[in-house]
Amino acid sequence: MGLARPMNKHAMLCLKVVGSALIVAHLVAISLAPASVPPSSQLVRSGWRLVSPYLHATNLNHGYHFFAPEPGASSVLEFVGTRSDGTHRRGRLPDKQLMKPRLLYHRYFMLTEFLGSIPETDPIRNRVLQNYANQLLKTKDLESVELRMIWHRPSSRQEVLLGEGLQAPETYDRQSLGTYTWNRPATMSRMEFR
Amino acid sequence: MEPTRDHVTHGISIAIRDQLAECARVWDRFWFASVDSLSLCVLRILVGGMLLYSHLIWGKALVEFFGSSGWNDFEVISVVRERGVVPSFFWYVPDQYLLTAHWLCNGVIIAFLFGFGGRVTALAAWAIAVSYANRASLATFGLDQILCILIFYLAIGPTTRQLSLDRWVNRRLLKRQHWGDEPSIAANVAIRLIQIHLCLVYLSAGLGKLQGEAWWNGEAMWLAIANYEYQSTDLTWLASYPRLLELMTHVAIVWEVIFAFLVWPKITRPIVLLMGVFMHVGIGAFLGMWTFGLAMIFSYVAFVPPKLLRWRSRSDSVAPIAGGNLLDAVDHSQFADSVPELHTTMVSQEPDSECDANILVSGEPRLERLPR
């Protein structure tokens, strides 16, 4: 028949008590993840530090701040590569035309969004840049690559009503990130991250 | 005779005890009632399908995203995770075996999708989803988050009892006629956790947005529409309709904030869910995130009573609503004696005797056999 025998009432009660405790602990943990997104209190951040191993291990450590606090500029990585024969290759990450289907495009887009979210003073930024440069050198068969960060802000309603598209030049803000050649990023010490 | 202080204290303690007992009873029914596992099984198919698609797309750039010298640098991921644990079996897979590991994983996901292997496969699918998301965490977004959440809970519940190869094997090959019909406490726990986690997702998203000026002054929807990198359909013609854009902004933020509260009462639940479907279809159609939008819509199955998911016949329902709520937990008991259907439902949640159990597995609750 496949139906288990009814469990002893005492055993069932014990199971329910343990189950309830686990449920409460889990709900507290998953609530602390979004609550710890800045601005947050020291209390919440301390609580989050306690449960973060569990949240990281289960991949439930998310803030769920989609388009929050508000939709902003997109981060795009522009590159100009030089091949061994001296010819150049231009491109950008992400590229709607080259990266299909859309989900793959979005994967690359998240890479550049991550880069754009790192403050310039953060030492990890250089490592990310070198790593991204290495990828471009490897996958595009380049000798060197010049990187530029582009922040592409959404056009205002007025700009669109005046006939400017979403790709109007004034909506792009460029920053040169330097020229890179192949270099294996060194392992960073723990102190550098702080 | 005037009540003494002891009488008053005694009365208060009884009232508190009764309230606590009532709370415990509501908690017990909310979490530990046995329910039909159909919602979970439908979710398994939807989530499994989306997970498979997502992984097939990973496969188009497997070495780039998962290779030892790919985009997702271990040191960077480790820093992003604040030197915490980043479990992923991909850390141990040499580059030359990436493709083999990838197709083995896809095989497990296909088994999960078709409901083969019970919880073992579900747990393996969850471990795979987490491993991919952790290893390539610089390239992940809301889709991966919601898939990991859903599969985590699906691994708790019995997801292969219905609409599955497991059911087919047990019923057709092993001749276990009623296999998979039993209501399950684990199914209820899984469904409840999905429901509450969804509420948390929307509430956090809504409260996060309230910190931004654009969600207050009504510009946020335009800012999303006018983001070229997200845009998949041109909606810039809406620039001529500022009031409409403001209305859309306000509706979106209000909906996100109130979702956690209005999804529970039966009267508002369909409205709140329908609004969610519209919003996520919009995200898919206009911001190019069909996968994320669909995954969110799929998760709404947790709020749909199994009886609505059954298209064959009303008598198929073997257990109470999985989409029920705290209010249901109280109300059903109050009306159990006066409403036969509800009484059937109540008893079927907790099979205390073999008599009840037999009624449950028969698939057709018969009132005359219920002990009064």
Side-chain angles (χ1 to χ4, degrees):
Chain A
M1 192 90 135
L3 187 72
R5 287 172 64 83
M7 193 181 276
N8 174 301
K9 276 193 173 178
H10 184 70
M12 179 57 98
L13 182 65
C14 288
L15 263 181
K16 285 181 177 180
V17 170
V18 172
S20 297
L22 289 174
I23 286 168
V24 170
H26 173 77
L27 293 181
V28 169
I30 60 169
S31 304
L32 284 170
S36 65
V37 175
S40 56
S41 71
Q42 187 63 44
L43 177 71
V44 169
R45 286 198 297 277
S46 303
W48 174 82
R49 266 191 285 278
L50 272 179
V51 298
S52 63
Y54 169 70
L55 294 173
H56 282 313
T58 49
N59 201 273
L60 296 176
N61 186 44
H62 307 300
Y64 314 115
H65 280 40
F66 311 118
F67 289 110
E70 52 190 52
S74 298
S75 307
V76 179
L77 190 65
E78 196 175 56
F79 64 89
V80 181
T82 306
R83 294 196 183 94
S84 53
D85 59 4
T87 56
H88 296 291
R89 176 167 181 180
R90 288 172 181 277
R92 61 165 52 189
L93 281 177
D95 189 320
K96 279 183 186 174
Q97 272 67 49
L98 293 180
M99 294 159 183
K100 289 179 181 173
R102 181 72 181 208
L103 179 54
L104 187 63
Y105 165 84
H106 221 79
R107 299 283 183 211
Y108 285 103
F109 186 25
M110 291 303 105
L111 291 174
T112 56
E113 285 283 87
F114 170 70
L115 177 61
S117 70
I118 309 172
E120 285 184 40
T121 52
D122 195 325
I124 194 72
R125 193 164 187 254
N126 285 334
R127 184 174 175 109
V128 175
L129 279 171
Q130 182 63 61
N131 191 53
Y132 282 15
N134 284 351
Q135 283 306 305
L136 290 169
L137 291 167
K138 193 167 62 176
T139 55
K140 314 289 181 195
D141 197 21
L142 305 171
E143 288 263 298
S144 66
V145 64
E146 185 191 346
L147 300 179
R148 278 187 221 120
M149 192 78 218
I150 300 175
W151 282 276
H152 186 196
R153 68 166 172 82
S155 303
S156 68
R157 268 196 328 104
Q158 288 72 22
E159 286 170 328
V160 169
L161 289 172
L162 287 171
E164 296 174 24
L166 298 183
Q167 297 188 75
E170 59 269 24
T171 59
Y172 290 89
D173 185 11
R174 287 180 165 78
Q175 180 197 13
S176 177
L177 300 171
T179 302
Y180 292 80
T181 53
W182 177 267
N183 184 17
R184 183 84 189 159
T187 303
M188 301 175 81
S189 73
R190 193 175 278 251
M191 286 305 291
E192 282 181 274
F193 299 126
R194 299 299 166 196
Chain B
M1 191 177 99
E2 285 195 17
T4 65
R5 195 171 173 175
D6 284 350
H7 281 128
V8 172
T9 311
H10 184 62
I12 291 172
S13 66
I14 287 176
I16 291 172
R17 197 184 61 196
D18 287 351
Q19 279 302 311
L20 288 176
E22 178 65 11
C23 287
R25 200 178 62 79
V26 170
W27 174 272
D28 183 51
R29 290 180 57 78
F30 183 79
W31 288 104
F32 302 115
S34 296
V35 300
D36 187 349
S37 60
L38 181 62
S39 305
L40 274 190
C41 300
V42 171
L43 258 176
R44 184 203 78 233
I45 294 169
L46 297 172
V47 172
M50 184 58 78
L51 187 68
L52 181 63
Y53 175 71
S54 167
H55 281 233
L56 291 175
I57 300 304
W58 278 129
K60 286 175 73 81
L62 199 63
V63 178
E64 276 191 57
F65 285 108
F66 297 91
S68 57
S69 55
W71 293 104
N72 293 282
D73 181 31
F74 172 72
E75 287 290 329
V76 176
I77 291 173
S78 185
V79 172
V80 172
R81 297 296 187 88
E82 303 209 345
R83 291 287 181 192
V85 280
V86 193
S88 171
F89 61 77
F90 272 113
W91 302 122
Y92 310 103
V93 179
D95 286 357
Q96 64 266 33
Y97 296 117
L98 275 180
L99 198 61
T100 310
H102 177 63
W103 282 109
L104 281 174
C105 291
N106 283 343
V108 172
I109 294 169
I110 289 170
F112 172 69
L113 167 64
F114 286 99
F116 181 73
R119 273 199 185 85
V120 174
T121 313
L123 276 168
W126 170 72
I128 288 168
V130 169
S131 285
Y132 274 70
N134 278 339
R135 178 64 187 87
S137 57
L138 306 186
T140 57
F141 64 109
L143 168 70
D144 308 279
Q145 296 177 12
I146 192 69
L147 286 181
C148 282
I149 290 169
L150 292 174
I151 298 177
F152 180 74
Y153 297 130
L154 287 176
I156 292 173
T159 54
T160 62
R161 285 189 175 180
Q162 300 179 58
L163 310 172
S164 66
L165 276 177
D166 277 358
R167 186 182 176 96
W168 186 83
V169 167
N170 275 281
R171 289 198 166 198
R172 297 291 171 88
L173 301 184
L174 303 179
K175 305 294 180 196
R176 293 173 178 162
Q177 202 181 349
H178 297 291
W179 191 91
D181 278 344
E182 317 89 67
S184 156
I185 291 176
N188 188 39
V189 172
I191 287 287
R192 294 304 193 192
L193 285 169
I194 292 173
Q195 291 172 339
I196 291 177
H197 209 135
L198 262 185
C199 291
L200 180 71
V201 169
Y202 283 126
L203 189 61
S204 305
L207 295 179
K209 287 181 176 71
L210 286 178
Q211 295 170 40
E213 194 182 320
W215 290 100
W216 288 96
N217 65 21
E219 283 183 6
M221 198 57 78
W222 169 258
L223 292 176
I225 286 168
N227 188 313
Y228 176 75
E229 278 68 36
Y230 275 101
Q231 184 198 63
S232 56
T233 303
D234 188 2
L235 286 182
T236 50
W237 54 269
L238 280 170
S240 306
Y241 305 97
R243 298 293 90 78
L244 179 59
L245 286 165
E246 288 167 8
L247 179 67
M248 288 161 67
T249 303
H250 297 321
V251 168
I253 187 70
V254 168
W255 170 80
E256 274 200 335
V257 173
I258 64 173
F259 180 94
F261 307 100
L262 295 191
V263 77
W264 299 105
K266 282 178 184 172
I267 194 162
T268 50
R269 187 184 307 159
I271 302 165
V272 169
L273 294 181
L274 199 62
M275 286 176 72
V277 169
F278 280 126
M279 200 184 87
H280 288 298
V281 166
I283 287 174
F286 306 125
L287 299 182
M289 289 187 282
W290 271 116
T291 46
F292 172 66
L294 284 175
M296 291 303 293
I297 292 171
F298 292 166
S299 66
Y300 292 176
V301 170
F303 285 102
V304 179
K307 63 184 174 186
L308 285 183
L309 296 172
R310 289 188 186 281
W311 58 88
R312 282 182 298 167
S313 92
R314 60 183 167 79
S315 61
D316 266 0
S317 184
V318 294
I321 48 172
N325 54 51
L326 278 167
L327 297 176
D328 298 332
V330 179
D331 292 348
H332 284 181
S333 62
Q334 286 174 349
F335 300 111
D337 289 331
S338 56
V339 184
E341 289 80 5
L342 289 179
H343 184 74
T344 312
T345 298
M346 241 191 84
V347 174
S348 67
Q349 287 178 339
E350 291 179 347
D352 287 324
S353 66
E354 272 195 43
C355 172
D356 293 344
N358 286 335
I359 293 166
L360 294 177
V361 296
S362 72
E364 291 183 23
R366 290 185 291 274
L367 284 172
E368 65 276 13
R369 292 185 58 187
L370 291 172
R372 286 282 180 180

